Amino acid sequence: MKKKVVFTLLFIFLAILPALYSGLFLGAIRDPYGKTDQIPVALVANYKDQRSSIYQSIKDTKIFDFKQEDLATAKQELKTGKVYGILSFEPNFSDDLEKFIMTNKPAHIRLYTSSSLNFSAQKILTTATTEIVEKVNQKLATNALAKASAATLPIPSKITNMVVLKTHDITPVKNNAEGLAPYFFALTLFVGGIFINQIFTRLFASKKGKFKSFYLWQFSGPAFMSICQAAIVTLLTTLIFHFTTVSWVGLFGFLILLAWTFDSLIIALNRLFPNFGVLIVLVLLMLQTSMAGGSYPLILSDPIFQNASQFLPMTYGVLGLRKFFNLGLSGIWGQIWPLLVFLAVGQILIALAYFWHERHSKYRTQ
């Protein structure tokens, strides 16, 4: 009877697996462009410009979650990921607009973004802001034409570009590959951990004995293989793709920590639940794929995905790798210590698996 129940549950799980995987992933990125009003963007302008109709019309669009700040604070928050962009009015913005008909010199707005923080967010911000400025120019051109005609003044040659948007990517990436590398490196290390665990489990399934011997075959072997994987990934970024990174040594060390964290959890779940641990690992993989914020910012996902991501190691792995690639190491311990906690939990569960299964079965046979 018990085998029938297990088989039925396994059959159901396998049947819904594709729908579950795709559903989680698509659910997390269901409508990112429809939630751009959740992206925090700093809006910077002096007191005079804040009273201008242009400033108010941009703010009233609510296309982003605008936060009024000074430029220095905004740039610091962009580096730490508290905002994803900065829309800054140049100090003489209003004066330049007022004098445009006479000087033919445009007013400037600057957009600061960070591709390394999130490549997709940078594209969204740039595209949306460009469209806003185009609409502003259309309205200004109509008003300027009316004023020029009423005052019998010559029509300025740049009347359709009274406001010019200048973009600045403070932490640029070379291409899509560099922008998505942190996500794919973290994902493939987890998949690599699954393969390593399956191989070592089958090769050394018959190894019995004390905890030291158990631990040697169950974790030390996979841990050594993970070091090799991390080394090859590091060489790949250096010799093949030539990605920019803050520290190659630091990147290598962080990849090892991330791989060991994954190994601990994968091995622990498989040893603690011998019959269906692999299914739990697959579910964990699916959750991390959809909730690690690899493609779009997590802030564009539903709250359930944002909250759940805090309890998944890959979330911290992706952000940590982004810091090593381009963002800088400020606040890196905010990603390291959660991984150490996950690693410690995995190690405790591995020990628990030994005392629950291996040693317990030994006493039953005596």
Side-chain angles (χ1 to χ4, degrees), residues 268-285:
L269 291 171
N270 276 285
R271 300 304 296 175
L272 198 58
F273 308 104
N275 295 323
F276 54 90
V278 64
L279 302 182
I280 300 177
V281 171
L282 284 176
V283 171
L284 183 59
L285 172 62

Side-chain angles (χ1 to χ4, degrees), residues 280-296:
I280 300 177
V281 171
L282 284 176
V283 171
L284 183 59
L285 172 62
M286 290 186 286
L287 291 173
Q288 293 187 127
T289 303
S290 58
M291 299 180 191
S295 51
Y296 290 95

Side-chain angles (χ1 to χ4, degrees), residues 319-338:
L319 183 52
L321 289 174
R322 282 177 175 156
K323 287 181 177 294
F324 275 101
F325 274 96
N326 276 312
L327 288 178
L329 300 183
S330 176
I332 187 61
W333 281 101
Q335 285 70 57
I336 291 177
W337 76 257

Side-chain angles (χ1 to χ4, degrees), residues 26-36 300:
L26 295 175
I29 59 171
R30 179 172 53 182
D31 186 23
Y33 292 95
K35 297 180 179 179
T36 59
L300 297 179

Side-chain angles (χ1 to χ4, degrees), residues 95-157:
D95 294 336
D96 290 339
L97 275 184
E98 291 173 3
K99 300 174 183 177
F100 179 80
I101 295 179
M102 303 298 298
T103 63
N104 202 31
K105 292 182 179 180
H108 292 91
I109 296 177
R110 296 185 184 273
L111 173 66
Y112 298 89
T113 56
S114 172
S115 293
S116 297
L117 181 61
N118 191 280
F119 190 71
S120 298
Q122 190 269 340
K123 297 298 182 185
I124 292 173
L125 287 167
T126 302
T127 301
T129 306
T130 300
E131 292 178 357
I132 291 173
V133 171
E134 287 177 354
K135 291 179 180 179
V136 166
N137 275 320
Q138 291 174 4
K139 184 177 180 179
L140 289 174
T142 301
N143 295 336
L145 282 171
K147 289 182 180 179
S149 299
T152 63
L153 294 173
I155 297 175
S157 59

Side-chain angles (χ1 to χ4, degrees), residues 142-340:
T142 301
N143 295 336
L145 282 171
K147 289 182 180 179
S149 299
T152 63
L153 294 173
I155 297 175
S157 59
K158 299 179 180 178
I159 197 167
T160 57
N161 290 290
M162 294 178 64
V163 175
V164 172
L165 177 68
K166 292 186 174 294
T167 59
H168 305 271
D169 195 349
I170 64 168
T171 53
V173 296
K174 295 177 181 178
N175 46 44
N176 288 356
E178 186 169 287
L180 294 174
Y183 173 59
F184 281 105
F185 284 170
L187 178 60
T188 51
L189 281 178
F190 191 90
V191 173
I194 294 176
F195 278 99
I196 290 173
N197 174 71
Q198 291 300 312
I199 291 172
F200 271 75
T201 297
R202 283 165 172 74
L203 286 177
F204 307 109
S206 61
K207 297 290 182 181
K208 304 293 182 179
K210 295 182 179 179
F211 178 73
K212 182 178 179 181
S213 177
F214 170 84
Y215 187 82
L216 176 66
W217 296 114
Q218 295 301 320
F219 181 76
S220 298
F224 174 75
M225 288 300 303
S226 292
I227 293 175
C228 296
Q229 288 182 341
I232 293 172
V233 169
T234 304
L235 290 174
L236 177 69
T237 61
T238 309
L239 302 178
I240 305 299
F241 291 114
H242 304 288
F243 290 155
T244 304
T245 185
V246 177
S247 168
W248 294 110
V249 175
L251 174 64
F252 176 54
F254 189 82
L255 287 169
I256 292 175
L257 171 61
L258 185 58
W260 283 359
T261 301
F262 291 158
D263 288 343
S264 293
L265 295 173
I266 293 168
I267 294 166
L269 291 171
N270 276 285
R271 300 304 296 175
L272 198 58
F273 308 104
N275 295 323
F276 54 90
V278 64
L279 302 182
I280 300 177
V281 171
L282 284 176
V283 171
L284 183 59
L285 172 62
M286 290 186 286
L287 291 173
Q288 293 187 127
T289 303
S290 58
M291 299 180 191
S295 51
Y296 290 95
L298 275 171
I299 201 164
L300 297 179
S301 300
D302 292 332
I304 187 172
F305 293 99
Q306 297 179 36
N307 295 328
S309 69
Q310 302 174 51
F311 302 98
L312 299 172
M314 193 179 292
T315 302
Y316 303 97
V318 171
L319 183 52
L321 289 174
R322 282 177 175 156
K323 287 181 177 294
F324 275 101
F325 274 96
N326 276 312
L327 288 178
L329 300 183
S330 176
I332 187 61
W333 281 101
Q335 285 70 57
I336 291 177
W337 76 257
L339 291 177
L340 291 173

